[in-house]
Amino acid sequence: MPHHDHRIEVYHAATGRYLGPADLADQATDEQISAVRRARATRVRRLKKDVEASQHERYAAVTQPEAPQRLGALIRDGRGWHTCRLGH
């Protein structure tokens, strides 16, 4: 809105889908800055957990070309590494 120079409306450039309002960073309140930092930290923790889990997936050995068959994933807890059956 032309008369609201403290806030803009954001749309996705490729799809035109409305994403919501955005406040200017230099005019954000301490509460807004804290909320953004918390959301970023939560996302970082979730992504790190996903990456770690994906690095420990196990697949069945094969001697002929075929689709991969997942055996499970190795997970770590306070007692060490354990196999977790996927999909059960």
Side-chain angles (χ1 to χ4, degrees):
M1 301 207 142
H3 59 285
H4 289 193
D5 58 358
H6 63 283
R7 177 175 274 194
I8 60 171
E9 303 299 323
V10 181
Y11 294 85
H12 190 280
T15 64
R17 184 172 64 100
Y18 178 69
L19 300 175
D23 294 306
L24 298 177
D26 60 348
Q27 294 181 5
T29 66
D30 289 339
E31 183 179 316
Q32 290 170 321
I33 293 169
S34 294
V36 168
R37 288 182 178 152
R38 280 192 308 274
R40 285 180 181 166
T42 299
R43 185 161 193 253
V44 165
R45 282 191 302 274
R46 185 176 62 241
L47 290 172
K48 283 182 180 179
K49 184 178 177 183
D50 291 347
V51 166
E52 184 176 327
S54 71
Q55 292 174 344
H56 301 292
E57 290 182 5
R58 298 177 6 157
Y59 293 87
V62 296
T63 57
Q64 300 284 337
E66 63 181 69
Q69 295 179 3
R70 290 171 60 173
L71 293 175
L74 289 175
I75 58 171
R76 181 175 46 188
D77 62 14
R79 298 171 297 173
W81 289 96
H82 305 281
T83 300
C84 173
R85 298 290 295 172
L86 300 173
H88 294 110

